[in-house]
Amino acid sequence: MLKLKEEVDSFQFQNSKWFGLSPDEWLPVVISIHFDPHHGSKYWLDKEEELGINAIKEIKVLDDLKILGPMCEDDLRRYPIEHFIPKIFLKRKNDFILGETAGTTGRPKVTAYCREEFHAAFVDWFVFVAGMRGFPTGGNWLWIGPSGPHIIGKAVGHVANRMGSMDPFSIDFDPRWAKKLQPESIGSKRYLEHVLEQALDILETQEIDVLYTTPPVLDALALRMSAQKRMSIKGVHYGGISIGKDAYKRFKEEYYPEAVHISGYGNTLFGLCLEIEASFAYDLDYYPLGPRMVVKVVAMDESNRPGCERLSKEVDYEEEGQVVFHRLDECFFIPNMFERDKAVRIPPTQTAIDYGITQDGVRNPDILVKNEKIVKTGLY
């Protein structure tokens, strides 16, 4: 219990700006910055004028965000990054870390994080949860995934260092190129083989404790590793692509039974929701680091079109709906983003509450059926 208290205290210290605040308490701070008439962000000031609203006066709590309407994701593709960053922060551009999406739903989208937000979203949250769950420290990591411009490639080294490890051994691959290859095609198989050959070379010559990669790569890798090597893995972290219950059970019970497994759900634009505790039923339950990231599950719509009226129609607990994210950062604000995924809405568990989480989470996210034809997945 002493260790738990010390680690929670440390986490509170590192994230004092956010920790313990509800989204409704934090939101006015974000709105006051992005909609400041002199120092705000060009994109949101233009949007305010277009909508004929006074955001600072009219947006007080999360439900008020619906007056901004659904976020147009194409705007994150077409406008310069500076349009989304408040002018007051553009005076210190050297503080920003840029990220681009993998192009899963089309042309990549861009975003930026100031260093404090970057570490909160992608580093501190994982380190805290990993510490609570007994994830291994001090051992070597093998990262199989993109280096850049995807944000996770910029975060993995910081995460490993914070876990007491050196810079990870890395196998780089380009998700955008992999998505251009037809599944099960000769090109796709050759690309995977190229990645696996490099990973196996490292596994055969180095002592690797932690594997961090996508489920498809991890699955293919397990079939090529010796039983001894698989048993030596002490930690597995998943990202990039959602994982199903059956696959998760196979990874935990058959392939890497000696490892602590932590799955993540999120993306470059918003940050990371994490599996904070293991499920006996192998459900994948994810919670965001509040209040800077909020995840909602709203009612399905036959047309699958985003709409203001749907933003207030949250499903009941244990019901499935479409995922909507809000990113409430001082340096970058993305409200009302309808995601490509469906998920089950879940309340915070006692463990979540003990960790300071008061927000809802999502269970078993997966691609909406109507999005399956436009979402390009593969190795990532």
Side-chain angles (χ1 to χ4, degrees):
M1 181 58 72
L2 179 60
K3 181 183 178 185
L4 173 64
K5 183 181 184 304
E6 289 175 346
E7 297 209 31
V8 171
D9 286 346
S10 174
F11 187 69
Q12 284 179 299
F13 174 76
Q14 294 165 356
N15 296 274
S16 57
K17 182 184 294 184
W18 297 287
F19 200 90
L21 291 178
S22 71
D24 284 343
E25 292 172 317
W26 175 243
L27 179 61
V29 175
V30 176
I31 296 298
S32 69
I33 293 172
H34 284 273
F35 290 92
D36 183 281
H38 304 292
H39 304 294
S41 51
K42 175 175 171 51
Y43 177 85
W44 288 111
L45 289 172
D46 288 348
K47 181 66 69 173
E48 180 180 46
E49 183 177 357
E50 174 190 327
L51 296 173
I53 62 173
N54 185 320
I56 292 176
K57 289 184 178 180
E58 297 179 50
I59 301 176
K60 300 295 186 183
V61 295
L62 276 180
D63 191 56
D64 296 335
L65 287 174
K66 63 178 179 288
I67 70 173
L68 296 175
M71 182 71 193
C72 177
E73 60 177 307
D74 280 338
D75 287 349
L76 295 166
R77 297 181 170 112
R78 66 166 65 101
Y79 292 116
I81 193 77
E82 290 87 353
H83 284 208
F84 297 93
I85 300 171
K87 295 174 185 176
I88 193 170
F89 296 124
L90 290 174
K91 299 175 182 178
R92 48 183 178 93
K93 280 191 173 183
N94 63 327
D95 189 43
F96 281 91
I97 296 170
L98 300 182
E100 296 183 24
T101 61
T104 303
T105 56
R107 185 180 171 190
K109 300 178 283 288
V110 299
T111 190
Y113 291 84
C114 70
R115 293 188 188 279
E116 183 181 23
E117 293 166 351
F118 169 80
H119 282 275
F122 297 100
V123 182
D124 295 341
W125 187 215
F126 176 84
V127 171
F128 173 71
V129 172
M132 296 298 100
R133 296 193 56 188
F135 204 76
T137 59
N140 293 331
W141 284 47
L142 173 57
W143 159 242
I144 310 171
S147 55
H150 318 289
I151 201 82
I152 195 62
K154 300 182 180 184
V156 63
H158 295 284
V159 173
N161 291 162
R162 288 279 301 278
M163 296 299 293
S165 301
M166 66 177 72
D167 198 49
F169 290 95
S170 299
I171 307 300
D172 190 27
F173 70 75
D174 182 357
R176 296 177 187 174
W177 177 248
K179 292 175 191 297
K180 291 179 180 291
L181 305 173
Q182 291 297 321
E184 301 303 318
S185 67
I186 293 176
S188 178
K189 292 177 180 178
R190 288 184 64 184
Y191 195 81
L192 176 59
E193 184 65 24
H194 173 64
V195 170
L196 293 177
E197 284 178 359
Q198 297 175 80
L200 289 166
D201 183 58
I202 290 175
L203 286 164
E204 288 170 4
T205 58
Q206 305 296 329
E207 297 295 328
I208 300 297
D209 293 88
V210 175
L211 290 175
Y212 183 11
T213 187
T214 65
V217 173
L218 193 65
D219 189 61
L221 192 62
L223 298 176
R224 301 280 291 274
M225 293 172 65
S226 67
Q228 181 181 2
K229 283 293 182 181
R230 288 190 286 106
M231 298 303 146
S232 69
I233 300 300
K234 300 297 187 292
V236 178
H237 183 33
Y238 306 76
I241 296 177
S242 61
I243 183 173
K245 292 172 62 173
D246 291 342
Y248 202 36
K249 182 177 181 180
R250 182 170 67 253
F251 285 133
K252 297 179 78 170
E253 291 190 355
E254 299 177 28
Y255 290 167
Y256 307 101
E258 300 300 317
V260 176
H261 297 249
I262 299 179
S263 185
Y265 172 62
N267 56 42
T268 292
L269 296 178
F270 293 93
L272 200 58
C273 295
L274 283 173
E275 178 199 20
I276 64 171
E277 56 187 326
S279 164
F280 291 111
Y282 297 95
D283 285 315
L284 279 301
D285 293 353
Y286 300 106
Y287 290 93
L289 171 63
R292 58 154 302 277
M293 181 182 180
V294 179
V295 58
K296 299 287 186 182
V297 182
V298 302
M300 298 284 198
D301 182 83
E302 289 185 5
S303 66
N304 200 29
R305 290 193 303 267
C308 295
E309 68 283 352
R310 291 179 62 201
L311 291 170
S312 298
K313 293 182 179 179
E314 282 191 89
V315 300
D316 292 333
Y317 288 127
E318 307 301 328
E319 288 190 3
E320 190 175 66
Q322 186 171 0
V323 176
V324 174
F325 274 122
H326 303 300
R327 176 176 162 192
L328 310 179
D329 279 336
E330 292 172 285
C331 295
F332 215 98
F333 174 53
I334 309 178
N336 306 328
M337 177 70 89
F338 280 80
E339 286 294 308
R340 67 194 186 192
D341 300 331
K342 61 183 178 180
V344 175
R345 181 190 178 194
I346 54 174
T349 62
Q350 186 57 54
T351 298
I353 293 170
D354 289 343
Y355 290 175
I357 301 167
T358 58
Q359 296 175 233
D360 292 343
V362 292
R363 172 173 293 161
N364 300 331
D366 198 6
I367 297 172
L368 281 162
V369 173
K370 292 187 177 182
N371 284 342
E372 288 178 347
K373 292 183 179 180
I374 61 173
V375 172
K376 304 172 184 176
T377 59
L379 301 182
Y380 190 93

